[in-house]
Amino acid sequence: MPSALPDGDPVPDDGSLPASALAGAVDRPLGFYLHVPYCATRCGYCDFNTYTATELRGTGGVLASRDNYAYTLIDEVRLARKVLGDDPRPVRTVFVGGGTPTLLAADDLVRMLRAIRDEFGLADDAEVTTEANPESVDERYLATLRAGGFNRISFGMQSAKQHVLKVLDRTHTPGRPEACVAEARTVGFEHVNLDLIYGTPGETDDDWRASLDAVLGAGPDHVSAYALIVEEGTQLARRIRRGEVPMTDDDVHADRYLIADEVLGAAGFDWYEVSNWATSEAARCLHNELYWRGADWWGAGPGAHSHVGGVRWWNVKHPGAYAGALAAGRSPGAGRELLTDEDRRVERILLELRLREGVPLALLREEGLAAAGRALGEGLLEGAPYAAGVAALTLRGRLLADAVVRDLVD
Ligand SMILES: C[S@@+](CC[C@H](N)C(=O)[O-])C[C@H]1O[C@@H](n2cnc3c(N)ncnc32)[C@H](O)[C@@H]1O
Ligand code: SF4
């Protein structure tokens, strides 16, 4: 089952925000994340807030049902409109993620997007993305999304190799994600991402190269590649503990990252965040950039997190509890916290150091600055940006990003 939520202060029943959160909002971009908490089966490595039909049985009644979900979520979009009041900002990005958004009917996804357009308006150049599982879409489905206003799509490919997909419990057949990219292009999606995972037990360097080659052959304009995280409480963690599959070590992860950067770089993909590569600035995921740069976003759906003007809150996790709160006219918020200046400073370092543009040295304290000086000497930070007052990771620094961040926040 998914991991637990943090504690926090209670969220008022009407979801209202302190006045400080809305001050200066017009100058910040606003995004929406819409969470779809359903999957056909649970992948053994995944601890996202998502539920299979079996996991939901008997725990949420009709309220938790997938059939009603779009309408429930639209209730939260309307609540957002009330909470944000006469906020005039059109929405800059919408990102539908999961779970498996494409387990819902394409019309449901379009309906949810329409609610945002009706309540807030969409910016003319709004980026509208959905995640999609390769086995749950076809060209007709994709055409409905495109006609309904989606212009970016992200497919969970993970690997091109059958034996790797099997360890990950992925149900799609090799070749299907690449076919999805072609179908998405045919129906007019300008921006297409493929998600990959590297370092799965049993994966070799050659397997990884084959996955990257398959990605390049498919022709997306964006690639996300994540080192496999073995999350506590997952089936994969249990299998590793029982010795059924070996654990991948950090050196292997580092080697795979270097291979990814080399292969993708040679094909015209530049990294812009440690785990993300794009063929141009226009191909970057603007929605993620909103997160990384501390903008405002409203996360709708069970377990979704939001951030508006220094207030962070999160919804109840279970789809039944979520729908129950909205049906009773209450905010589904489970807890919230007001970020202090120090919280925001630390958060900026954590997120911006992972970006190609780096983080201003002016945000660092004495110990953090000393650590940055050492990181520069060790070749983990780039020299020219450093001289201009910015900590920006080198390739070697990207391999050790978590450790560098830990030192710089001191
Ligand atoms: C939560 S999934 C949602 C998309 C869709 N359900 C799918 O799996 O294709 C988003 C991405 O997170 C990545 N991911 C999920 N769990 C992970 C883990 N334990 N380690 C590394 N990456 C993970 C996968 O690449 C996945 O495509
Ligand atoms: S399909 Fe995606 S969200 Fe669902 S269990 Fe698998 S990785 Fe997690």
Side-chain angles (χ1 to χ4, degrees):
M1 289 299 268
S3 53
L5 282 171
D7 294 330
D9 302 327
V11 174
D13 274 358
D14 63 0
S16 58
L17 290 168
S20 64
L22 299 173
V26 278
D27 299 325
R28 301 188 296 263
L30 172 67
F32 258 86
Y33 172 73
L34 310 180
H35 188 67
V36 178
Y38 305 106
C39 284
T41 56
R42 178 176 288 277
C43 306
Y45 58 89
C46 179
D47 83 337
F48 279 66
N49 190 40
T50 187
Y51 302 81
T52 62
T54 320
E55 286 169 350
L56 278 181
R57 198 160 296 143
T59 61
V62 70
L63 282 177
S65 142
R66 205 155 95 184
D67 301 338
N68 303 326
Y69 186 70
Y71 296 97
T72 304
L73 187 127
I74 288 169
D75 283 344
E76 191 182 350
V77 172
R78 296 196 176 123
L79 173 75
R81 176 73 279 179
K82 283 198 200 121
V83 170
L84 296 178
D86 52 9
D87 184 334
R89 289 174 290 177
V91 171
R92 191 69 191 75
T93 65
V94 179
F95 192 104
V96 187
T100 306
T102 46
L103 271 189
L104 299 186
D107 285 334
D108 276 343
L109 300 189
V110 170
R111 191 168 284 128
M112 294 178 342
L113 174 60
R114 199 181 308 129
I116 292 177
R117 193 187 287 125
D118 290 349
E119 295 293 334
F120 289 87
L122 283 179
D124 290 343
D125 55 352
E127 175 192 274
V128 183
T129 306
T130 186
E131 289 180 340
N133 280 35
E135 69 282 7
S136 60
V137 295
D138 56 21
E139 197 169 307
R140 219 171 112 219
Y141 188 103
L142 296 173
T144 305
L145 293 183
R146 183 70 195 94
F150 285 81
N151 52 27
R152 186 172 184 275
I153 190 152
S154 172
F155 294 107
M157 171 171 175
Q158 322 311 355
S159 172
K161 302 300 281 190
Q162 181 82 72
H163 73 97
V164 177
L165 291 170
K166 191 155 181 278
V167 174
L168 294 174
D169 290 329
R170 294 296 292 197
T171 49
H172 63 249
T173 41
R176 181 65 204 136
E178 297 92 303
C180 284
V181 177
E183 290 168 11
R185 294 293 195 196
T186 302
V187 303
F189 276 93
E190 190 185 351
H191 298 301
V192 184
N193 171 62
L194 289 174
D195 274 346
L196 288 174
I197 290 181
Y198 57 88
T200 300
E203 181 193 61
T204 64
D205 282 356
D206 283 347
D207 291 333
W208 179 230
R209 282 185 185 281
S211 293
L212 291 163
D213 286 347
V215 163
L216 296 181
D221 64 351
H222 190 287
V223 177
S224 301
Y226 305 108
L228 177 68
I229 301 169
V230 179
E231 305 279 4
E232 265 317 305
T234 58
Q235 182 67 18
L236 180 64
R238 287 190 285 279
R239 290 179 68 197
I240 289 177
R241 211 167 28 244
R242 290 198 295 261
E244 288 167 27
V245 286
M247 180 81 185
T248 316
D249 69 44
D250 288 349
D251 289 346
V252 170
H253 278 154
D255 289 347
R256 301 272 152 81
Y257 186 89
L258 292 173
I259 292 172
D261 196 62
E262 174 208 307
V263 172
L264 293 171
F269 286 81
D270 281 330
W271 79 283
Y272 69 102
E273 193 272 348
V274 170
S275 303
N276 289 278
W277 290 259
T279 52
S280 69
E281 287 226 2
R284 292 180 175 196
C285 177
L286 187 62
H287 183 79
N288 281 338
E289 290 194 305
L290 291 198
Y291 292 152
W292 298 330
R293 297 197 178 281
D296 288 351
W297 75 88
W298 189 292
H305 287 235
S306 302
H307 171 260
V308 173
V311 180
R312 189 160 47 199
W313 72 95
W314 46 91
N315 285 347
V316 290
K317 288 193 90 163
H318 196 278
Y322 171 76
L326 285 163
R330 275 185 285 113
S331 158
R336 77 178 185 191
E337 59 194 10
L338 262 67
L339 301 178
T340 62
D341 287 348
E342 176 59 6
D343 291 336
R344 298 179 88 169
R345 184 189 77 89
V346 168
E347 190 141 299
R348 276 194 66 184
I349 298 170
L350 292 177
L351 296 170
E352 291 180 29
L353 187 69
R354 297 175 63 86
L355 300 177
R356 187 187 189 104
E357 285 78 12
V359 62
L361 290 169
L363 280 180
L364 307 187
R365 295 242 187 78
E366 206 177 316
E367 285 190 29
L369 270 178
R374 287 194 299 278
L376 178 73
E378 289 162 16
L380 303 175
L381 295 180
E382 298 279 5
Y386 192 88
V390 172
L393 295 170
T394 59
L395 176 55
R396 221 169 83 71
R398 282 188 267 157
L399 296 175
L400 299 169
D402 292 343
V404 180
V405 164
R406 267 198 302 279
D407 290 345
L408 266 55
V409 291
D410 283 345

